[in-house]
Amino acid sequence: MCMNNSVTLKDIAKALNLSISTISKSLNDSYEISVDTKQKVLAYAQKHHYSPNRLAKGLKEGKSRSIGIVVCSLDNNVIAQMLDGIDTVSADNSYQIIIMQSKESQKQEAACIELLYSGGVDGILISPACETVDFSYLRSLQESGLPIVLFDRLSDQIDTHKVGADNFQGAYDATMHLIKNGYKNIAHLNTNTTLSIATERLNGYKQALMDSEITYRPELLRSCDYSDTQKLNSDLREAILYFMSLPDKPDAIFTATDQISTRCLTLLNKLGYHIPTDIALIGFTNTDLAEALSPALSTVHQPAFEMGQLAAKKLISLIESKVHDQEYETVMLETYIQARASTQSKD
Amino acid sequence: MCMNNSVTLKDIAKALNLSISTISKSLNDSYEISVDTKQKVLAYAQKHHYSPNRLAKGLKEGKSRSIGIVVCSLDNNVIAQMLDGIDTVSADNSYQIIIMQSKESQKQEAACIELLYSGGVDGILISPACETVDFSYLRSLQESGLPIVLFDRLSDQIDTHKVGADNFQGAYDATMHLIKNGYKNIAHLNTNTTLSIATERLNGYKQALMDSEITYRPELLRSCDYSDTQKLNSDLREAILYFMSLPDKPDAIFTATDQISTRCLTLLNKLGYHIPTDIALIGFTNTDLAEALSPALSTVHQPAFEMGQLAAKKLISLIESKVHDQEYETVMLETYIQARASTQSKD
DNA sequence: CTGTTAGCGCATTCAT
DNA sequence: ATGAATGCGCTAACAG
């Protein structure tokens, strides 16, 4: 009987009057064991619900068949979809997933990583906290042999496999969509973080303007504090009021994140602006409810589930490859635009 | 160096020319060790980022300081909030959480539980799959000493701590809210599952009708298949069309789950019905976007985060209590009604 | 074909 | 105050 009273090899050995290693080999279908013995052992094991102790196995084999995941938050639409993708692949490959939240704090993130590392995970999947600028700890773990894959929020501070969305293109497409639909004065709401996804989305926006020969107006860009919902809401509110107070006010807004997109819509409604006649709106978001919103919201959709799947696949391949000399690659999955009423053509 | 190249007791012992047990005792601040030695050991350990191997520790101590969680799906608003609550409490108490999805399949759920059990988790938090009717496996684990707590979806097939929402009252309040606002012909959309939360919500609805002296009309109750989104959508569509074709058609719908509520709203809009003039709508859902929907959706809100927190607390107390003779209790957390445009008063 | 032994990293009991 | 020895459950090298 082991820690949780389950049957162990020893128990079976005793019951069957065989040695522990014979049992182990039988259960692992070793060629050394006679068919007869194997059957006896297997039968007993099944009858008594034997299942190997993963802790012991992990300790012995130097791995735990578990993957550590660090995300900023669990209560988040897009992240939930990514986790779902990660879990699908992990489960298929018999890896358990251990999930931890950084809550956007670099310090807490480090604690998560440390805990996962000492917990003996075989690898780590991480979407860094927006605070995180220092990747030296992660790098040091990597150098000592721990496979790491970045997903969603990427960074060039560490050399490894990375799986994200093509944020530049997504932002470019969204802005172009607005322009094609007759909107020329396009504001942009982004986060005040240094995350690459923020910069890429901003750059996509700028490039679309440039390609359309629309002058970029710095006053139409506002960066909002992401630290908490309260602060985000007040920043957004302020930004919107500012935009609408401009002499040459915008006729459309492109929003850079799930949170910002949906909250912006809510705020515009609350402030009494009519979408899209007063102002059009398109934003990054994965919510299923986009079409049920008032008005139906045009969105840039990220392949979140697929990102999770691919990131998990990359990590598992890293874990299971003996030679660690594969070229690291960065994959950017395509986003797509879902046009709805909030960006109805002006014509 | 252990499995992931981290420093072990042995390494420190060798480096400091001391025995392993001295190192172990120093790090555990044993009274047997001199202050001098302790300091030396501690200094070395910190410098080299020693962290105990959880696998080894778990194997030795017969526990892993980890909690297994089984939910039907990760990609779900309400569940994400519950997981967030669970994680908060778990992290505070230095427990890692291992999350698995049953995808509503009893078979897969059993596999999850087995995996968690053999993984040496100290306890299991489970919200059973809607397919699950047989709790004997879970009971047998419990009998062999594994602490188990049910949350959200409860069952009387197993005797343990249970944390859920007061579904009866929530449904009662929602129905009463409709009645007070002048709606008398109230339809109800529920799942076709045998889950107690489904029955409780149905009973709350019925009781409210009864208390208001409104006759319950069986034709105004439809149960939809929950097996997949496709099926759910088509069932809902059919149900709505059926309701609206009735000679004495309903003037309001009360929906029993997050999925049903939001999809029902989307479908009503698509089918061209105006809410609430053609038909009012209130439902269980926790989405932040309720007020941004078209129209703003009245909801029954569940304290999902708190449910998660409380369930985790209960489980940890079960794990850490030496004597397993505490009385099991079932806690039902209060829901609350958020009234919005979709149930505007008829007057 | 089966059994013995060793060792993964740790805590702990029992010497010294 | 320190160290040697044991065992948690498992696999694997080696012996018989």
Side-chain angles (χ1 to χ4, degrees):
Chain A
M1 290 295 210
C2 94
M3 53 201 280
N4 42 30
N5 279 332
S6 62
V7 185
T8 69
L9 293 183
K10 198 201 262 183
D11 298 328
I12 305 182
K14 201 173 295 174
L16 263 44
N17 243 319
L18 288 165
S19 79
I20 295 181
S21 62
T22 304
I23 309 298
S24 173
K25 285 172 187 164
S26 301
L27 259 19
N28 289 317
D29 201 26
S30 161
Y31 66 96
E32 300 178 279
I33 305 294
S34 73
V35 185
D36 210 45
T37 311
K38 269 187 200 170
Q39 279 183 340
K40 240 188 305 186
V41 173
L42 219 68
Y44 188 93
Q46 277 178 349
K47 187 172 166 206
H48 293 263
H49 298 105
Y50 169 80
S51 73
N53 181 315
R54 282 176 76 104
L55 261 51
K57 201 167 178 171
L59 181 60
K60 173 68 188 171
E61 298 187 336
K63 50 187 176 163
S64 58
R65 264 203 124 65
S66 65
I67 289 173
I69 302 170
V70 185
V71 290
C72 60
S73 168
L74 277 168
D75 182 15
N76 176 310
N77 181 22
V78 186
I79 292 175
Q81 293 174 18
M82 294 193 281
L83 291 177
D84 191 10
I86 292 171
D87 182 69
T88 307
V89 170
S90 304
D92 282 352
N93 290 275
S94 311
Y95 282 85
Q96 287 188 167
I97 61 172
I98 299 174
I99 302 178
M100 315 210 81
Q101 314 190 60
S102 68
K103 295 286 179 188
E104 303 291 16
S105 145
Q106 167 151 21
K107 197 177 159 194
Q108 189 164 339
E109 181 176 273
C112 292
I113 297 170
E114 158 119 32
L115 215 56
L116 289 171
Y117 184 54
S118 73
V121 294
D122 297 338
I124 287 183
L125 274 173
I126 182 168
S127 174
C130 61
E131 262 191 28
T132 304
V133 284
D134 180 16
F135 282 75
S136 56
Y137 182 52
L138 217 46
R139 273 202 307 271
S140 77
L141 290 188
Q142 190 189 25
E143 275 157 23
S144 68
L146 185 73
I148 293 169
V149 169
L150 257 56
F151 69 102
D152 189 29
R153 299 174 174 181
L154 314 185
S155 162
D156 48 16
Q157 293 297 302
I158 184 167
D159 183 31
T160 186
H161 286 319
K162 296 162 196 171
V163 180
D166 192 340
N167 296 296
F168 177 89
Q169 191 65 43
Y172 184 89
D173 292 346
T175 312
M176 274 304 190
H177 167 75
L178 286 171
I179 294 170
K180 278 185 191 139
N181 278 6
Y183 302 94
K184 306 289 179 196
N185 260 314
I186 304 171
H188 180 41
L189 286 172
N190 208 316
T191 62
N192 66 343
T193 64
T194 58
L195 290 174
S196 64
I197 56 173
T199 319
E200 289 161 16
R201 290 173 189 181
L202 172 60
N203 289 340
Y205 159 77
K206 282 183 178 170
Q207 188 66 49
L209 294 184
M210 202 176 305
D211 289 357
S212 309
E213 291 172 356
I214 296 176
T215 314
Y216 165 65
R217 294 168 55 199
E219 72 270 27
L220 291 188
L221 165 67
R222 300 288 273 197
S223 303
C224 302
D225 195 333
Y226 227 52
S227 54
D228 67 89
T229 308
Q230 289 279 326
K231 193 75 179 74
L232 178 59
N233 257 332
S234 64
D235 275 21
L236 281 175
R237 188 192 168 87
E238 199 191 321
I240 291 170
L241 290 174
Y242 170 76
F243 286 153
M244 301 312 265
S245 74
L246 289 173
D248 190 8
K249 67 183 183 209
D251 56 2
I253 305 180
F254 161 53
T255 47
T257 80
D258 202 284
Q259 300 277 322
I260 293 179
S261 302
T262 53
R263 288 181 195 287
C264 187
L265 179 110
T266 308
L267 279 166
L268 285 171
N269 281 332
K270 266 196 190 157
L271 293 170
Y273 295 108
H274 189 265
I275 307 171
T277 34
D278 291 335
I279 191 147
L281 180 64
I282 187 170
F284 271 84
T285 173
N286 274 25
T287 180
D288 298 333
L289 294 174
E291 72 170 320
L293 293 171
S294 171
L297 179 64
S298 297
T299 61
V300 187
H301 187 274
Q302 296 184 73
F305 182 83
E306 291 78 10
M307 277 170 53
Q309 283 186 306
L310 188 55
K313 277 180 197 161
K314 291 273 179 201
L315 182 66
I316 291 174
S317 94
L318 225 44
I319 292 171
E320 296 183 348
S321 75
K322 324 291 163 199
V323 278
H324 273 221
D325 60 349
Q326 40 179 305
E327 272 296 302
Y328 289 129
E329 55 177 338
T330 298
V331 184
M332 312 237 280
L333 266 43
E334 276 182 31
T335 62
Y336 63 88
I337 301 288
Q338 194 90 44
R340 297 198 181 87
S342 73
T343 56
Q344 201 167 44
S345 179
K346 274 197 168 181
D347 320 327
Chain B
M1 290 298 211
C2 92
M3 52 200 283
N4 42 29
N5 279 332
S6 62
V7 186
T8 68
L9 292 184
K10 198 201 263 181
D11 299 328
I12 305 181
K14 201 174 296 175
L16 264 44
N17 243 318
L18 287 167
S19 78
I20 295 182
S21 57
T22 304
I23 309 298
S24 173
K25 285 173 189 165
S26 301
L27 260 16
N28 289 317
D29 202 25
S30 161
Y31 66 96
E32 300 177 279
I33 306 295
S34 73
V35 184
D36 209 45
T37 311
K38 270 187 198 170
Q39 279 183 338
K40 240 187 306 186
V41 173
L42 219 69
Y44 187 94
Q46 276 178 350
K47 187 173 167 206
H48 294 263
H49 298 106
Y50 169 80
S51 74
N53 181 313
R54 281 175 76 105
L55 261 51
K57 201 168 180 170
L59 182 59
K60 174 67 188 170
E61 298 186 338
K63 51 185 176 166
S64 59
R65 266 203 121 66
S66 65
I67 289 173
I69 303 171
V70 185
V71 290
C72 59
S73 167
L74 277 168
D75 182 15
N76 176 310
N77 181 24
V78 186
I79 292 175
Q81 294 173 16
M82 294 192 282
L83 291 177
D84 191 10
I86 292 171
D87 181 69
T88 307
V89 171
S90 303
D92 282 352
N93 291 274
S94 311
Y95 282 85
Q96 287 187 167
I97 61 172
I98 299 173
I99 303 178
M100 318 211 78
Q101 313 190 60
S102 68
K103 295 286 179 187
E104 303 291 16
S105 143
Q106 167 151 22
K107 196 176 160 194
Q108 188 164 337
E109 180 175 274
C112 293
I113 296 170
E114 158 119 32
L115 216 54
L116 290 170
Y117 183 54
S118 72
V121 294
D122 297 338
I124 287 182
L125 275 173
I126 182 169
S127 174
C130 62
E131 264 192 9
T132 304
V133 285
D134 181 15
F135 282 76
S136 56
Y137 182 51
L138 217 46
R139 271 202 308 268
S140 77
L141 289 187
Q142 190 190 26
E143 275 157 23
S144 68
L146 185 73
I148 293 168
V149 169
L150 257 57
F151 69 101
D152 189 28
R153 299 174 174 181
L154 314 185
S155 163
D156 48 16
Q157 293 297 302
I158 184 167
D159 184 31
T160 185
H161 287 319
K162 296 164 197 171
V163 180
D166 192 339
N167 296 296
F168 177 89
Q169 191 66 41
Y172 184 89
D173 292 347
T175 312
M176 273 304 190
H177 166 75
L178 286 171
I179 294 169
K180 276 185 193 139
N181 277 6
Y183 302 94
K184 307 288 177 196
N185 260 315
I186 304 171
H188 180 42
L189 286 172
N190 209 317
T191 62
N192 66 343
T193 64
T194 57
L195 290 173
S196 64
I197 57 173
T199 320
E200 289 161 16
R201 290 172 189 181
L202 171 60
N203 289 341
Y205 159 79
K206 283 183 179 170
Q207 187 67 48
L209 294 183
M210 202 178 304
D211 289 358
S212 309
E213 290 170 359
I214 297 175
T215 314
Y216 164 66
R217 294 168 55 199
E219 71 270 27
L220 291 187
L221 164 68
R222 301 287 272 195
S223 304
C224 301
D225 195 332
Y226 226 53
S227 54
D228 68 89
T229 308
Q230 291 278 325
K231 193 77 179 73
L232 178 59
N233 257 331
S234 64
D235 275 21
L236 281 175
R237 187 190 170 87
E238 198 192 322
I240 291 169
L241 290 174
Y242 169 76
F243 286 155
M244 300 313 265
S245 75
L246 289 172
D248 190 8
K249 67 184 183 208
D251 55 3
I253 305 180
F254 161 54
T255 49
T257 79
D258 201 286
Q259 301 276 323
I260 293 179
S261 301
T262 53
R263 288 180 195 286
C264 186
L265 179 108
T266 308
L267 279 167
L268 285 171
N269 281 332
K270 266 195 190 158
L271 293 170
Y273 295 109
H274 189 266
I275 307 171
T277 34
D278 290 335
I279 190 146
L281 180 64
I282 187 170
F284 271 84
T285 174
N286 273 25
T287 180
D288 298 332
L289 294 173
E291 74 171 319
L293 293 171
S294 172
L297 179 64
S298 297
T299 62
V300 187
H301 187 275
Q302 296 185 72
F305 182 83
E306 292 76 12
M307 275 170 55
Q309 283 187 306
L310 188 56
K313 277 181 198 161
K314 291 273 179 200
L315 182 65
I316 291 174
S317 94
L318 225 43
I319 292 171
E320 296 183 348
S321 76
K322 323 292 163 200
V323 277
H324 274 222
D325 60 349
Q326 40 178 307
E327 272 296 302
Y328 289 130
E329 55 177 338
T330 298
V331 184
M332 311 236 281
L333 267 42
E334 276 183 31
T335 62
Y336 63 88
I337 302 288
Q338 196 90 42
R340 298 199 182 86
S342 74
T343 56
Q344 202 167 41
S345 177
K346 274 197 166 179
D347 320 325

